Amino acid sequence: MSELRNYTLNFGPQHPAAHGVLRLIMEVDGEQILRLDPHIGLLHRATEKLAETKPYNQSIGYMDRLDYVSMMCNEHAYVRAIEKLYGVTPPIRAQYIRTMFDEITRIMNHLLWLGAHAIDIGAMTVFLYAFREREDLMDCYEAVSGARMHATYYRPGGVYRDLPDKMPQYEASPYKKSAEIEKMNENRQGSLLDFIEDFTRRFPGLVDEYETLLTDNRIWKQRTVNIGIVSPERALALGFTGPMLRGSGIAWDLRRKQPYAAYDQMDFEIPIGKTGDCYDRYLVRVEELRQSNRIIKQCIDWLRKNPGPVMTDNTKIAPPKRVTMKKDMEAMIHHFKLFTEGYTLPEGEAYAAVEHPKGEFGVYLVSDGANKPYRLKIRAAGFPHLAALDEMCRGHMIADVVAILSSQDIVFGEIDR
Amino acid sequence: MIRIYDFKGVSNQEKKNDFSKREYSVQDLLLLVWIVAKVLLVVICLLGVVAYLTLAERKVIGFIQSRIGPNRVGPQGLLQPIADALKLLQKEIIFPTASNKYLFIIAPILTMTPALAAWAVIPFDQGMMLANINAGVLFLFAMTSLGVYGVLISGWSSNSKYALFGALRASAQTISYEIAMGFALVGVLMAADSMNLQEIVLRQQGGIWHWYWLPLLPLFVVYWISAMAETNRAPFDVSEGESEIVAGFHVEYSGMSFALFFLGEYANMALLSFVAALLFMGGWLSPFEGIPFLAQAFAWVPGIIWLILKASFFLFLYLWVRATFPRYRYDQIMYLGWKVLIPVTIVWIIVVGFAIQFGVGPWFSH
C-alpha cells in the first residue's frame, strides 16, 4: 500500500482573501485543516525604528499608516502616550472631538470589515453598500483634516483645528448633470456637524439594510455559526481584546474600564457574544456600529452647545496662534523651536492604550529626555488574534479559514508595522 | 422544418453501398447547406446571447449594488463584450511548465462543446428546432453532464493545487446535483408522458395554471437549485470560490482558453434557463392562453418571444441570486443535495405517480 501524505497548501501572499499580505502554510487532509502556519512580515516598514529617528510630532503620520482602516484611533494612542509623559491635558472640546472621531473611525473600520467579511464568505453586495457609507465618513475626515485617510489630525495637546463650518462639495463634471450634483450636495450645505448629524440619522436604517442581507440568512448562518469557536478562558489566555474578546462573552472594553477622552460622559452599551464563534463576532461588531452611532450623536449635541479651544495653550508643545506670533517675540521663538527641533519629553516611560476598533491598541513610549523617543513599542490589536489563527482553524475546512481569518479583522499594516 | 433523409424502401445491400456509389443530387447539397446554416444561426445567436449576458450580469449586479456598471465602451457600455473579447483574443495563452499540454488545451474545448451541442434539441417555437428527436430530454441531460469532464481535466492538467481542489469540488458537486436534477426531470417525463421537448411543451397547453410549475412545484424548485449548482454559479460557486481557492479549476488559464470556460458557463446558464422555461413554464405558449380578452390581444406575439422572455427571467434570477447570497461551503452543498433535494424529488415523484394514476386536476386527466 502506498503511503498517504497530506497536502501542503500555500495560501497567499497573493490571495484575494489574504487581507493584504498574509501568507499561510496549510497542511490539509482533503479539505480539512490539520495545521496552519501564518507567515507575517511582508508589510514590515520599520515604523517603530523610524519613530526613533524623528521628532515626536513627525511620527503621528506614521501612526495613520499602521492600521490603515482606523487611522485616527492609532493617532489617539500615540498622542495620549506623549500627553501622559509630558503631563498635558487637552481642552475638553478636543476630548469630545477625539471621542467623536474615534467613533467615526470605528464605524469606518467596522464597515470595511463587514464588507470584506461578507465578500470573503461570498456575499458581495454588502461590500459595496458598506463602501457607500464609508465614503461619507471619509468626507468627514477630509473636511476636518484635508486628507481622506491619513489625517494626522490628533496632536499632543488637542487636535489640529476646530471643526469646519463648511463641508467640501461635489463639483460638476462631464459625467454628472448639475441636478445630480445638487442632489449629492444636498446634505453638505451646513457645517461638518450638520453633515455628521444627517449621517447618524440615516445610519441605523442602513445597518438594518446590511442585516437583512446577512443576519438571518441561512447560508450566512451555516457559514459562521459554530465556526472558529474561542472559549472565554482561551480568549483571555490568548490575549484577545476588542470584539474578539467580547464575541467570546467577556465584557471588556477600555472605553468603559479605563475611560479616556470623553467616554466617561457617554451613554453606550457593550455588546457581548455567547459562543465565541464567527457569527457572534459578527453580531458584536454590527451592534458596535449602532452604539458608535449613539456616541457620535451625543458628541454632536455637546459640541454644538460648547464652543471653546481645541488645542492646549501650552506653547511648549503646541504651536502658538499665528496672530500672536506677529506681535509676540516669545511666541515666535516657540514656533521656531517647535518646527525645527520639536519638543522634548521628560525622561521616563509611558503606556497609553485606546479601545481601537480591532481591540486594545497601545503605544509604549520610552524617553531619554531627547526630542525623539528612545524606544517606541506598538501593541497591535490584531497580532495576538492572528497568532491564535492556527488554534481557531484546526479541524475546520479551507473555506472556514477564510471566514475565521476575516472574522478576526486583520490588517497587516499594524501587524507587520 | 427539417427533412431527415429517409432510408425506408432502400434494401440493406443498397444501404451498404449508397454512400460510395450513390449520386448526390443538388437537393441533398442544399439540404446540407440549409442544416449548416441553421446550426450557424443558432450558434451565432447563442454567442451573441452569451456576450451580452456578461454585460447584463455586470449591469444588473451593478444596479443591485447601487453602482453603474460598464458605461465607457460604446453608448451605455453596449460594446463592452466586444472589447472584452478583443482583449482576450490578444492575450497570450500561458502553459504552466508542469502541465499536461494536450489535456490543458482540450479541457476548455470539452467544456464549451457540450454546452453548444445541447442546443440542438431546444425547440424555440413549435417545429423551430435543429433536431426533433424523441429522447430530447435525455440528450440534454447527457450533454450537460459531459461538461464536468472539461472542469475535471482542466483542474488535473494544470498541475496546480488550487486547480485540483476546484476540479474535485466541481466534479463532486456536479455529479450529486445531476441526480437531483435527473429526478426532477423524471417528474416532468412522467407528467408529460414523453421525452420529446416539443411534446412536453404541447402537453402544457391551456394557460398559466396548466404549466407544470404548479403541479410539479417542488420539482421545479429543485430543478432550479440544481441548475444553479450545475453551472457552478453563486451561491454554489465553490469550484471557483474566488475568496477560497482563488479561481479554482481555471486558475492557470489565460486568454482565449480562459474565455472558452466562460463561454461554456454562460451558454450553460442560458441553456438551463431555456430548459426551465420549456419544461415548467410552458415554453413558447402564451401566458394569456384561455383568458378571454388578453388571449386575443396578445395572439400576434410569436411564441419565440414568450420563450425568450421566460428564459430571460430565469437568467435574471441567476444574477439576482448571485448578488444576494453568500457562498455555501463545499460539504454543506453536498448535504443540501443529498439530504434535502434528492429526498424531496423522490417523494414528489411518488406523489406525481399517484396523481397520474387517479387523473388529478387539469394536468394529469388526459
Side-chain angles (χ1 to χ4, degrees):
Chain A
M1 210 178 111
S2 64
E3 193 195 349
L4 285 177
R5 275 185 308 152
N6 293 323
Y7 228 28
T8 307
L9 191 67
N10 185 35
F11 179 104
Q14 283 87 14
H15 189 286
H19 283 238
V21 288
L22 172 66
R23 181 173 175 221
L24 292 175
I25 311 293
M26 304 200 276
E27 199 179 313
V28 288
D29 173 16
E31 289 237 352
Q32 213 175 30
I33 306 294
L34 298 178
R35 215 163 50 81
L36 181 151
D37 190 14
H39 285 203
I40 59 166
L42 290 140
L43 197 62
H44 180 57
R45 292 160 301 178
T47 306
E48 291 172 2
K49 196 72 192 166
L50 276 170
E52 289 172 19
T53 65
K54 290 186 163 41
Y56 288 102
N57 266 14
Q58 291 184 20
S59 295
I60 303 175
Y62 282 116
M63 298 299 137
D64 286 318
R65 286 153 180 83
L66 284 172
D67 177 357
Y68 41 76
V69 285
S70 38
M71 296 68 79
M72 286 200 193
C73 288
N74 306 339
E75 292 173 20
H76 201 167
Y78 181 65
V79 296
R80 276 193 66 218
I82 295 173
E83 282 162 6
K84 210 168 171 180
L85 206 53
Y86 194 85
V88 60
T89 325
I92 184 77
R93 188 174 164 85
Q95 305 271 26
Y96 271 88
I97 291 176
R98 283 183 185 181
T99 309
M100 184 171 80
F101 269 94
D102 270 14
E103 293 310 313
I104 286 178
T105 309
R106 195 179 311 279
I107 292 180
M108 278 170 85
N109 176 78
H110 282 6
L111 281 179
L112 185 107
W113 163 81
L114 182 67
H117 191 38
I119 213 167
D120 279 351
I121 296 185
M124 38 178 200
T125 301
V126 184
F127 184 75
L128 284 125
Y129 286 180
F131 263 68
R132 184 183 56 193
E133 273 69 74
R134 218 167 164 262
E135 188 66 23
D136 284 344
L137 298 176
M138 292 265 200
D139 288 344
C140 298
Y141 263 46
E142 187 184 345
V144 87
S145 72
R148 284 162 55 83
M149 281 183 77
H150 303 308
T152 328
Y153 180 56
Y154 296 0
R155 302 287 162 88
V159 294
Y160 162 57
R161 63 174 182 191
D162 207 346
L163 303 172
D165 296 329
K166 252 172 76 182
M167 273 301 285
Q169 314 259 318
Y170 283 107
E171 279 173 14
S173 78
Y175 301 110
K176 291 261 185 235
K177 296 185 200 97
S178 55
E180 265 178 279
I181 297 289
E182 235 164 70
K183 197 156 171 278
M184 287 163 82
N185 282 333
E186 215 169 83
N187 54 6
R188 290 159 193 272
Q189 298 307 317
S191 68
L192 173 67
L193 279 177
D194 294 333
F195 181 74
I196 300 176
E197 196 171 13
D198 176 65
F199 178 83
T200 55
R201 251 181 270 132
R202 279 183 293 135
F203 191 59
L206 296 166
V207 178
D208 292 341
E209 205 171 275
Y210 315 140
E211 282 212 85
T212 30
L213 277 170
L214 301 176
T215 306
D216 288 326
N217 187 317
R218 290 177 68 98
I219 306 178
W220 180 259
K221 276 184 149 178
Q222 284 184 29
R223 287 299 306 277
T224 51
V225 173
N226 288 336
I227 303 295
I229 297 179
V230 186
S231 69
E233 299 78 38
R234 276 312 284 166
L236 278 177
L238 289 165
F240 282 11
T241 45
M244 293 290 288
L245 186 61
R246 292 195 284 274
S248 292
I250 293 175
W252 175 265
D253 191 323
L254 290 181
R255 291 176 293 175
R256 183 60 59 73
K257 301 283 175 186
Q258 302 167 9
Y260 54 94
Y263 280 112
D264 48 351
Q265 306 295 319
M266 295 295 150
D267 176 27
F268 65 101
E269 277 150 35
I270 300 168
I272 58 167
K274 271 184 187 163
T275 46
D277 55 9
C278 288
Y279 189 61
D280 276 4
R281 292 191 277 273
Y282 158 75
L283 290 179
V284 164
R285 288 199 175 97
V286 169
E287 185 53 36
E288 282 187 16
L289 284 175
R290 297 182 193 278
Q291 295 300 331
S292 293
N293 199 46
R294 255 177 86 189
I295 300 177
I296 294 176
K297 266 186 187 162
Q298 295 167 42
C299 289
I300 293 172
D301 287 344
W302 191 93
L303 286 167
R304 277 196 196 287
K305 285 177 212 140
N306 298 279
V310 293
M311 193 61 144
T312 174
D313 49 9
N314 181 349
T315 44
K316 293 282 181 218
I317 189 163
K321 284 209 165 64
R322 279 261 147 200
V323 189
T324 52
M325 264 166 62
K326 305 286 178 196
K327 298 175 202 149
D328 187 358
M329 188 63 190
E330 203 174 355
M332 184 74 193
I333 294 167
H334 277 137
H335 183 267
F336 179 75
K337 291 283 270 181
L338 269 174
F339 284 90
T340 49
E341 58 166 41
Y343 47 86
T344 58
L345 290 191
E347 230 173 284
E349 50 196 64
Y351 175 77
V354 291
E355 184 66 28
H356 189 265
K358 294 181 169 62
E360 176 180 336
F361 182 91
V363 169
Y364 177 65
L365 203 59
V366 183
S367 165
D368 57 357
N371 62 346
K372 301 165 189 150
Y374 174 76
R375 173 83 170 95
L376 177 77
K377 170 78 181 79
I378 294 157
R379 185 210 186 271
F383 193 79
H385 301 159
L386 183 66
L389 186 64
D390 177 35
E391 183 180 325
M392 290 169 79
C393 287
R394 276 189 194 197
H396 286 301
M397 301 184 85
I398 292 178
D400 295 331
V401 173
V402 176
I404 293 170
L405 181 67
S406 58
S407 87
Q408 290 188 341
D409 195 4
I410 296 290
V411 162
F412 277 84
E414 64 161 6
I415 287 173
D416 290 343
R417 299 193 277 275
Chain B
M1 290 297 256
I2 311 144
R3 290 196 298 123
I4 296 164
Y5 189 75
D6 190 5
F7 280 110
K8 269 181 217 157
V10 184
S11 77
N12 270 348
Q13 189 57 42
E14 273 175 301
K15 229 187 231 173
K16 241 180 229 168
N17 301 333
D18 62 355
F19 289 111
S20 52
K21 292 198 178 151
R22 220 186 82 213
E23 283 180 26
Y24 294 98
S25 66
V26 179
Q27 213 183 357
D28 288 329
L29 192 67
L30 281 178
L31 182 68
L32 184 70
V33 169
W34 174 228
I35 290 176
V36 170
K38 281 201 294 189
V39 170
L40 277 180
L41 182 71
V42 168
V43 168
I44 289 170
C45 286
L46 183 60
L47 290 181
V49 165
V50 167
Y52 278 89
L53 186 54
T54 58
L55 180 68
E57 171 163 39
R58 293 163 74 177
K59 279 285 188 188
V60 167
I61 293 182
F63 173 72
I64 291 173
Q65 297 175 341
S66 68
R67 56 192 174 85
I68 301 165
N71 70 340
R72 284 291 180 276
V73 190
Q76 298 294 311
L78 279 175
L79 298 179
Q80 185 70 42
I82 294 158
D84 287 343
L86 284 177
K87 184 201 77 176
L88 285 168
L89 274 171
Q90 289 170 30
K91 295 275 176 192
E92 183 191 355
I93 298 176
I94 299 164
F95 293 97
T97 0
S99 68
N100 184 326
K101 307 240 169 6
Y102 302 104
L103 291 179
F104 191 77
I105 267 297
I106 286 170
I109 300 169
L110 268 184
T111 325
M112 177 72 183
T113 322
L116 292 184
W119 285 87
V121 293
I122 298 289
F124 297 99
D125 201 341
Q126 192 158 359
M128 199 197 275
M129 61 178 88
L130 288 176
N132 187 3
I133 56 176
N134 281 333
V137 176
L138 210 56
F139 176 80
L140 256 179
F141 202 50
M143 280 302 151
T144 48
S145 313
L146 275 179
V148 73
Y149 283 106
V151 173
L152 195 57
I153 291 174
S154 68
W156 186 81
S157 66
S158 347
N159 205 354
S160 148
K161 288 176 182 175
Y162 284 103
L164 189 61
F165 268 120
L168 288 177
R169 284 173 171 200
S171 40
Q173 176 191 337
T174 315
I175 289 165
S176 22
Y177 274 77
E178 214 111 84
I179 299 171
M181 194 187 214
F183 274 131
L185 295 185
V186 164
V188 177
L189 303 187
M190 284 167 70
D193 205 16
S194 168
M195 286 230 256
N196 184 311
L197 282 162
Q198 184 162 314
E199 283 291 303
I200 292 173
V201 173
L202 291 177
R203 280 296 176 100
Q204 303 180 46
Q205 260 169 345
I208 198 162
W209 305 111
H210 291 253
W211 298 350
Y212 284 152
W213 66 270
L214 189 58
L216 305 178
L217 189 61
L219 296 185
F220 175 43
V221 174
V222 168
Y223 169 82
W224 187 244
I225 295 173
S226 315
M228 270 189 271
E230 278 266 310
T231 42
N232 293 328
R233 294 287 296 180
F236 303 101
D237 58 343
V238 287
S239 62
E240 286 179 34
E242 167 82 46
S243 55
E244 297 153 21
I245 48 171
V246 197
F249 58 91
H250 58 62
V251 67
E252 302 289 349
Y253 282 86
S254 60
M256 234 21 225
S257 57
F258 167 75
L260 281 184
F261 278 115
F262 256 69
L263 289 177
E265 182 182 324
Y266 281 80
N268 254 331
M269 278 165 66
L271 177 76
L272 291 176
S273 302
F274 269 88
V275 172
L278 287 169
L279 298 186
F280 295 98
M281 300 299 272
W284 60 81
L285 302 174
S286 157
F288 303 116
E289 225 176 331
I291 302 170
F293 296 107
L294 284 172
Q296 279 91 44
F298 284 93
W300 58 273
V301 180
I304 189 167
I305 300 287
W306 290 124
L307 182 63
I308 289 173
L309 283 179
K310 288 168 188 175
S312 310
F313 169 72
F314 285 110
L315 282 172
F316 171 72
L317 275 188
Y318 263 120
L319 310 182
W320 188 7
V321 166
R322 181 175 172 208
T324 312
F325 286 117
R327 182 183 302 115
Y328 265 111
R329 205 173 62 198
Y330 166 63
D331 59 324
Q332 289 162 351
I333 287 186
M334 301 310 246
Y335 181 92
L336 181 74
W338 288 98
K339 292 196 175 168
V340 181
L341 298 187
I342 293 177
V344 165
T345 51
I346 292 175
V347 167
W348 205 255
I349 283 174
I350 295 169
V351 172
V352 169
F354 277 107
I356 292 170
Q357 192 64 35
F358 298 109
V360 175
W363 315 292
F364 307 115
S365 49
H366 35 65

